[in-house]
Amino acid sequence: PPDGRVPPLISAAQERAKLEPTRPVASLGSGGRGTDSWLDRSLWERCLTQGASRLASGAYNANFQIVQSADSVVILHEQIHEARIIPMDGRPHLPSNVRQWLGDSRGHWEGNTLVVDTTNFSDKTNFRGSTDGLHMVERISRVDADTLNYEVTFEDPSTWTRPWTVQMPMPKTQGTMYEYACHEGNYGLTGILAG
């Protein structure tokens, strides 16, 4: 945004934000603080998904690999071992009643820029307070042999006062992607539920 800030939440989203810590089943990285069941914990804490737009994440195990076939692009994330399969054949989005944690992505090329349009998020895929009405458009282009430019625009009229865009360079990394065994040796969840 021109002022460099994420736009304010609309009043309904502000009220949802106040309730978030009290909800037993919540979003990816926030809320979900109940202790009666593993279902009371967030999807990320349960090692199911990190969810929406994290292609340019700076956390550990943040590597990703992009692979293109004749009719699809796959973005493989090292952390939580997710693969986003993005059809490039012009098919329409899924019906609006079909909701997915990572949304429903469709891609196309605009010159040398990969454009990925994603809708149909689940109500459990809460990105910074968003609802299942989140609409995300990513643009990935090559700046030079070792750099991609990543740009993503978020729109959810039920959450923010206006759409907003983030842009950042992504340098090429060297090395191998490794298995991310999220629950291997993770006694934290067992301890939380036992307490």
Side-chain angles (χ1 to χ4, degrees), residues 64 66 141-149 169-174:
F64 64 90
I66 300 174
S141 55
R142 184 173 293 283
V143 175
D144 57 43
D146 295 321
T147 312
L148 294 178
N149 185 61
M170 296 174 17
K172 183 177 182 179
T173 56
Q174 300 297 321

Side-chain angles (χ1 to χ4, degrees), residues 4-190:
R5 300 193 182 274
V6 175
L9 297 174
I10 66 167
S11 58
Q14 291 173 18
E15 293 304 313
R16 286 195 314 267
K18 290 176 188 174
L19 296 174
E20 186 70 18
T22 65
R23 291 185 181 157
V25 178
S27 63
L28 297 170
S30 62
R33 301 297 180 234
T35 57
D36 291 334
S37 164
W38 66 91
L39 297 173
D40 293 343
R41 309 310 293 186
S42 73
L43 297 176
W44 186 3
E45 187 176 8
R46 291 167 48 205
C47 299
L48 297 173
T49 181
Q50 259 192 325
S53 185
R54 55 193 196 83
L55 189 59
S57 170
Y60 67 97
N61 290 97
N63 297 318
F64 64 90
Q65 184 176 37
I66 300 174
V67 179
Q68 181 179 355
S69 71
D71 59 359
S72 299
V73 168
V74 177
I75 301 176
L76 176 65
H77 298 271
E78 183 175 27
Q79 190 167 61
I80 306 195
H81 53 266
E82 292 179 307
R84 287 177 61 197
I85 301 171
I86 303 164
M88 301 285 289
D89 58 6
R91 72 179 78 171
H93 281 287
L94 294 171
S96 62
N97 65 328
V98 177
R99 300 294 171 159
Q100 302 179 100
W101 289 337
L102 298 178
D104 178 49
S105 296
R106 297 293 184 258
H108 66 274
W109 289 99
E110 291 181 5
N112 292 328
T113 300
L114 172 62
V115 179
V116 181
D117 184 90
T118 307
T119 61
N120 296 42
F121 286 99
S122 162
D123 62 355
K124 292 178 180 62
T125 309
N126 173 335
F127 174 75
R128 297 184 64 106
S130 67
T131 67
D132 60 0
L134 176 64
H135 180 206
M136 190 171 79
V137 177
E138 298 162 287
R139 301 176 68 83
I140 305 166
S141 55
R142 184 173 293 283
V143 175
D144 57 43
D146 295 321
T147 312
L148 294 178
N149 185 61
Y150 178 69
E151 178 181 303
V152 57
T153 299
F154 301 100
E155 181 177 7
D156 183 355
S158 298
T159 302
W160 301 292
T161 57
R162 65 183 183 275
W164 54 286
T165 301
V166 174
Q167 184 181 60
M168 65 186 303
M170 296 174 17
K172 183 177 182 179
T173 56
Q174 300 297 321
T176 306
M177 288 181 53
Y178 293 96
E179 176 188 9
Y180 184 82
C182 189
H183 267 302
E184 186 175 307
N186 180 356
Y187 298 103
L189 190 56
T190 304

